[in-house]
Amino acid sequence: MPPKPLDYGSINENVKKSQYAVRGELYLRASELQKEGKKIIFTNVGNPHALGQKPLSFPRQVVALCQAPFLLDDPNVGLLFPADAIARAKHYLSLTSGGLGAYSDSRGLPGVRKEVAEFILRRDGYPTDPELIYLTDGASKGVMQILNTIIRGQDDGILVPVPQYPLYSATIALLGGTLVPYYLEETANWGLDVNELRQSVEQARFKGITVKAMVIINPGNPTGQCLSEANLREVLQFCYQENLALLGDEVYQTNIYQDERPFISSRKVLMDLGPPISKEVQLISFHSVSKGYYGECGQRGGYFEMTNIPPETVDEIYKVASISLSPNVPAQIFMGVMLHPPQPGDISYDKFVRESTGILESLRRRARLMTDGFNSCRNVVCNFTEGAMYSFPQIRLPPRALEAAKQAGKVPDVFYCLKLLEATGISTVPGSGFGQREGVFHLRTTILPDEEDMPAIMDSFKKFNDEFMEQYEDNRGYSRL
């Protein structure tokens, strides 16, 4: 009897090739342990509300009224909701064609796209066209849509940082393209070296790969570094010289925990460079409501903005977007509110500032607590988390641990992270899921656990790590940079 269409041997090989470690073996084992009654601390994914972050009041009030517009007709609505939230809900409902239950334009509500364009003008000092802004179900869907547009087959390559967020490696594999890695330099705080970029492109072209685009993640995931303006200029000049499109993943742009390198957008630097570069480099920028002080991951709201993309290509991107009819409408409202928060003088302003500032200040303290905690551990080295939501410590595994991992049939950092999970309940992601240099091992953890719990979590990690190193350490040295 011939194999059935959905038997494992019959399915798309690209589906099998794609890997997503953030929800991989460690996460599945953590879920099993949780079902068995073990307390699990899920630090494997940047999911702020799941780790106790409270939602901001104002956006939830606005969306609640949009979801239940009959409340606006209740004479007592002003007793439960502030006047500015009521006014904003009426504004957003007026932008829809039938409330939140109706499809929007496939690009998103025109009124919200106009608000995104106003935000970009305020941020960068350069205008943009709302027709070149598409609202999406989270930034991930936008990334997938653009990669789908770029990749024609296995001979098309995408330049991706290593370590990288596995959305990129998984999507490139799924679409049948080729990932072209460029390594970030850990000893230079995960810095980006243009010479490394050039070498990666040359090696790929030697193999017959057409390198079509470059990805930057700024601030970095999983590495937490912030790119300087000078670094961004180098990247854009490199893309111009090598005829590469640039994909700027900027979803963590408000998650900054140091003052030396504030966030600056790729688009602003591109415009500042002036012609011919500002007119020639093709740039797609991504943003999301899932990060920052919002942390509204479950709402699935995002956008991408296109710069220097030909109209014919924009039409094709629109055609593909229209296949899904509409991005989810409540998330579009969240995006509008995120980019246009309460202003001084508004009733909700003081509360909004108090809530959002409190979250960011706490994240800054947690970034320091976690970095210092890792660096106090035996055979662990960690760069400071300058931005985003993660620490990415290097674990210097003793040779006997490498041998034990091999005996267990596990990649060494997977072996370590599984042992950590079983002993402490801390669910992390092994560095091999993001890519790393040969013979060097890491793990990624979020900095999102409650600030009050952080000392106990780091103490638990330190105790486990010391016992692990004691068990496997000998005098033959360690895996390390």
Side-chain angles (χ1 to χ4, degrees), residues 43-59:
T43 70
N44 60 297
V45 63
N47 194 10
H49 292 189
L51 286 166
Q53 180 175 309
K54 297 292 188 292
L56 298 179
S57 300
F58 185 75

Side-chain angles (χ1 to χ4, degrees), residues 42 64 77 129 134 149 171 208 211 277 328 356 378 410 434 442:
F42 285 99
V77 66
D129 184 352
Y134 281 43
T149 304
T171 304
V211 184
I277 293 179
N328 91 76
S356 58
R378 190 168 167 181
K410 300 292 183 186
F434 302 92
H442 301 82

Side-chain angles (χ1 to χ4, degrees), residues 411-427:
V411 176
D413 53 9
V414 173
F415 177 78
Y416 178 91
C417 290
L418 281 169
K419 294 284 189 183
L420 171 66
L421 172 65
E422 301 278 352
T424 67
I426 301 171
S427 176

Side-chain angles (χ1 to χ4, degrees), residues 34-289:
Q34 188 179 49
K35 288 176 184 175
E36 294 169 8
K38 187 175 182 67
K39 181 183 177 183
I40 302 297
I41 304 166
F42 285 99
T43 70
N44 60 297
V45 63
N47 194 10
H49 292 189
L51 286 166
Q53 180 175 309
K54 297 292 188 292
L56 298 179
S57 300
F58 185 75
R60 286 296 184 99
Q61 290 166 336
V62 172
V63 175
L65 288 166
C66 290
Q67 288 279 23
F70 53 83
L71 292 176
L72 294 168
D73 299 324
D74 191 303
N76 294 318
V77 66
L79 300 177
L80 293 174
F81 294 89
D84 51 354
I86 294 170
R88 190 72 74 88
K90 290 178 178 177
H91 161 70
Y92 285 118
L93 287 170
S94 75
L95 301 180
T96 71
S97 58
L100 271 55
Y103 288 134
S104 74
D105 185 291
S106 298
R107 297 162 291 189
L109 294 166
V112 175
R113 287 188 282 126
K114 181 173 179 287
E115 292 183 352
V116 175
E118 291 167 353
F119 158 76
I120 292 170
L121 173 61
R122 289 196 310 273
R123 185 193 66 188
D124 296 343
Y126 295 99
T128 186
D129 184 352
E131 296 299 300
L132 299 176
I133 294 167
Y134 281 43
L135 304 179
T136 54
D137 294 338
S140 297
K141 280 294 177 69
V143 168
M144 295 172 77
Q145 186 172 340
I146 295 302
L147 287 174
N148 190 32
T149 304
I150 294 172
I151 294 171
R152 299 166 299 182
Q154 64 182 6
D155 291 337
D156 283 345
I158 307 296
L159 201 57
V160 176
V162 175
Q164 53 96 29
Y165 176 45
L167 163 68
Y168 293 95
S169 54
T171 304
I172 292 166
L174 196 60
L175 297 171
T178 297
L179 186 148
V180 179
Y182 67 92
Y183 286 90
L184 303 176
E185 185 50 60
E186 184 169 9
T187 56
N189 206 28
W190 299 112
L192 186 159
D193 184 351
V194 172
N195 291 325
E196 170 76 23
L197 295 177
R198 194 164 284 111
Q199 186 177 6
S200 294
V201 170
E202 288 173 358
Q203 290 174 349
R205 287 174 177 163
F206 181 76
K207 297 174 184 176
I209 302 299
T210 301
V211 184
K212 297 190 68 180
M214 174 179 173
V215 173
I216 58 170
I217 307 173
N218 182 36
N221 175 10
T223 47
Q225 87 285 8
C226 296
L227 294 178
S228 68
E229 183 175 354
N231 227 174
L232 287 168
R233 279 198 300 270
E234 288 182 315
V235 166
L236 287 159
Q237 288 163 346
F238 175 79
C239 288
Y240 175 69
Q241 293 162 1
E242 301 295 337
N243 192 28
L244 304 178
L246 181 63
L247 277 56
D249 183 335
E250 299 174 339
V251 301
Y252 296 100
Q253 60 188 261
T254 56
N255 294 104
I256 307 295
Y257 312 126
Q258 41 72 41
D259 301 319
E260 291 74 29
R261 275 181 301 284
F263 172 79
I264 182 168
S265 75
S266 302
R267 187 175 185 277
K268 174 172 171 50
V269 177
L270 176 62
M271 294 296 108
D272 285 349
L273 283 168
I277 293 179
S278 64
K279 298 291 186 182
E280 294 292 334
V281 173
Q282 296 179 332
L283 170 67
I284 312 287
S285 304
F286 302 91
H287 200 7
S288 171
V289 303

Side-chain angles (χ1 to χ4, degrees), residues 1-13 15-16:
M1 185 175 180
K4 295 179 180 178
L6 286 173
D7 286 353
Y8 186 75
S10 303
I11 65 173
N12 186 341
E13 286 298 320
V15 172
K16 300 177 189 177

